């Protein structure tokens, strides 16, 4: 018999990588459908563009490397990366930016490191940050949810806007994203952050129309349901033992604790834990991004530390940083710390405990 060694991801259940990745895709469907309902056909179009680019890019590079292309593509990891990027970017982002971001994720972040199992960073998050830094204006081009914008886009208008920058009626993105209150915000996180920098209190910022319909008046309309949909998918992954509770659980608890401390210090200036939990990409980040089996911590204790520190950085960057959302930055920061976390949280070697040492001493 041969002892076969392979790269991560490693699973404790009888599933191959392709089966695991397909379960992740299935678990994402409720969240994608919710985003499609509240933000229009652009979500679907971006997913198609990203998945197509990811498959073509990975197939091309694998063929250059003389790898088994059908077998490698069958693990569906490129599709998962593409979907995570597609649901993170604005639905009407120009098509060529989506292509650049997806190509960067697959070709540079994943394949340059050696392919699946060897990348140090989460490919989708690195690509997202690269796009955000390179095209900051375009990456804030989120439309208001259904019912809060002046214009409702059908499939043809969404395609036209993504390809040409204009709808069939001639509206550009700036005109489309103008909200009823005069703000051209990216997300509820950006709306509150902008309001606080302009001298508003936290409660005054929550009075913006984007929060009408949000439960407890702390969550932007539509965003709560998107988060709940991804939460349902994440709990399914835990139930099917695709991921463990350690990372998402510690990450969510950390966000609640850190946000609560700041909110109690100054309720007029710091957002509540509920606001942090259900606005932005925290939930999808906790269950689908931070739990990446390749770039996350591999030990049980390490996963708790890893998730808790991601939650800490999310609150800190959202509150004191220059960007309204911080999941991608927090995940990348902690990806760099994974080797150190794993080193100090590795489990004790079997037989290395105090009982074993005592037995040896008694034998002597």
């Amino acid at each position: 018999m041969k002892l076969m060694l392979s790269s991560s991801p490693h699973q404790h259940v009888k599933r191959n990588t392709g089966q695991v990745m397909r379960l992740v895709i299935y678990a994402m469907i409720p969240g994608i459908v919710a985003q499609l309902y509240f933000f229009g056909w652009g979500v679907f179009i971006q997913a198609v563009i990203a998945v197509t680019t990811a498959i073509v890019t990975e197939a091309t590079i694998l063929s250059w490397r003389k790898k088994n292309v059908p077998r490698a593509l069958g693990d569906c990891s490129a599709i998962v990366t593409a979907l995570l990027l597609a649901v993170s970017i604005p639905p009407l982002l120009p098509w060529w930016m989506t292509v650049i971001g997806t190509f960067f994720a697959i070709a540079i972040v994943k394949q340059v490191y050696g392919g699946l199992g060897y990348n140090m960073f989460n490919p989708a998050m690195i690509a997202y940050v690269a796009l955000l830094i390179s095209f900051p204006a375009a990456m804030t081009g989120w439309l208001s949810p259904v019912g809060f914008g002046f214009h409702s886009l059908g499939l043809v208008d969404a395609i036209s806007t993504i390809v040409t920058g204009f709808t069939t009626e001639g509206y550009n993105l700036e005109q489309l994203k103008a909200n009823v209150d005069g703000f051209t915000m990216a997300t509820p996180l950006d709306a509150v952050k902008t309001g606080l920098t302009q001298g508003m209190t936290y409660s005054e910022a929550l009075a913006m129309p984007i929060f009408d319909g949000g439960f407890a008046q702390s969550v932007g309309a539509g965003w709560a349901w998107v988060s709940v949909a991804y939460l349902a998918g994440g709990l399914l992954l835990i139930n099917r033992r695709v991921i463990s509770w350690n990372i998402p659980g510690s990450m969510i608890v950390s966000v609640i604790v850190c946000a609560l401390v700041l909110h109690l210090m100054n309720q007029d200036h710091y957002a509540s834990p509920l606001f942090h939990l259900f606005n932005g990409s925290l939930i999808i980040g906790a269950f689908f991004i931070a739990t990446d089996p390749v770039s996350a911590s591999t030990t049980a204790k390490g996963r708790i530390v890893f998730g808790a520190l991601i939650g800490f950085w999310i609150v800190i960057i959202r509150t004191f940083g220059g960007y309204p959302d911080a999941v991608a930055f927090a995940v990348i920061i902690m990806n760099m710390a994974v080797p150190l976390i794993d080193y100090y949280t590795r489990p004790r070697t079997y037989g290395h405990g105090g009982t074993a040492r005592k037995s040896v001493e008694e034998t002597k």
Side-chain angles (χ1 to χ4, degrees):
M1 295 180 65
K2 293 183 178 180
L3 176 63
M4 302 298 293
L5 298 178
S6 62
S7 62
S8 55
H10 304 293
Q11 294 290 327
H12 295 287
V13 291
K14 294 181 179 180
R15 299 191 186 105
N16 58 37
T17 303
Q19 291 173 322
V20 171
M21 294 300 173
R22 282 190 286 273
L23 281 173
V24 173
I25 294 172
Y26 299 151
M28 290 183 65
I29 291 176
I32 294 174
V33 171
Q35 279 189 255
L36 182 64
Y37 174 80
F38 286 105
F39 296 102
W41 284 102
V43 177
F44 173 76
I45 298 168
Q46 297 294 354
V48 171
I49 295 172
V51 169
T52 303
T53 304
I55 292 175
V56 172
T57 302
E58 182 138 299
T60 302
I61 295 176
L62 289 172
S63 64
W64 289 345
R65 296 176 59 197
K66 308 299 181 183
K67 300 291 184 179
N68 188 325
V69 177
R71 180 180 178 182
L73 289 180
D75 63 26
C76 297
S77 60
I79 297 177
V80 172
T81 296
L83 288 177
L84 288 174
L85 179 61
V87 299
S88 300
I89 60 179
L92 297 182
L93 190 74
W95 67 271
W96 56 271
M97 293 185 189
T98 307
V99 171
I100 290 175
T102 308
F103 175 83
F104 185 80
I106 301 298
I108 307 302
V109 184
K110 182 181 178 182
Q111 291 298 332
V112 165
Y113 279 86
L116 179 66
Y118 298 97
N119 49 287
M120 177 180 178
F121 299 100
N122 185 295
M125 293 300 95
I126 286 284
Y128 174 85
V129 169
L131 289 175
L132 184 62
I133 294 173
S134 302
F135 312 105
M139 287 293 287
T140 58
W142 285 82
L143 290 182
S144 301
V146 171
F148 288 85
F150 287 131
H151 307 282
S152 178
L153 297 184
L155 177 60
V156 175
D157 277 329
I159 295 174
S160 177
T161 305
I162 292 172
V163 175
T164 68
F166 296 90
T167 66
T168 55
E169 296 178 351
Y171 292 110
N172 61 27
L173 186 58
E174 291 301 318
Q175 293 170 322
L176 290 173
K177 70 177 184 177
N179 199 290
V180 293
D181 63 351
F183 283 90
T184 54
M185 73 290 183
T187 64
L189 291 172
D190 192 26
V192 169
K193 194 173 188 66
T194 301
L196 292 176
T197 57
Q198 293 176 345
M200 291 184 181
T201 63
Y202 173 58
S203 58
E204 290 173 341
L206 292 181
M208 297 178 186
I210 187 62
F211 294 99
D212 287 352
F215 63 83
Q217 295 298 313
S218 295
V219 184
W223 289 92
W225 294 111
V226 172
S227 295
V228 169
Y230 280 117
L231 175 62
L235 293 176
L236 173 65
L237 292 181
I238 293 177
N239 178 260
R240 298 302 301 271
R241 297 180 62 191
V242 175
I243 62 175
S244 66
W245 62 268
N246 306 59
I247 292 176
S250 60
M251 185 172 161
I252 291 173
V253 170
S254 176
V255 168
I256 292 174
V257 172
C258 294
L260 182 62
V261 170
L262 291 174
H263 188 63
L264 292 177
M265 289 172 55
N266 189 342
Q267 297 184 15
D268 288 333
H269 194 69
Y270 299 122
S272 67
L274 183 63
F275 176 86
H276 282 285
L277 281 179
F278 289 99
N279 286 304
S281 55
L282 176 63
I283 297 299
I284 186 176
F287 290 95
F288 294 91
I289 296 173
T291 53
D292 175 23
V294 177
S295 58
S297 178
T298 58
T299 67
K301 294 180 181 178
R303 292 190 186 104
I304 295 176
V305 174
F306 179 75
L309 290 176
I310 289 177
F312 167 79
W313 282 117
I314 287 174
V315 176
I316 294 300
I317 297 174
R318 281 182 175 183
T319 304
F320 304 105
Y323 293 96
D325 205 353
V327 172
F329 293 99
V331 169
I332 292 172
I333 290 172
M334 293 315 302
N335 283 161
M336 293 187 288
V338 163
L340 186 66
I341 293 173
D342 284 351
Y343 179 81
Y344 284 105
T345 60
R346 57 187 177 184
R348 185 180 294 274
T349 305
Y350 181 76
H352 193 266
T355 303
R357 288 197 298 270
K358 184 177 180 181
S359 299
V360 173
E361 291 173 358
E362 290 176 349
T363 303
K364 291 180 180 180

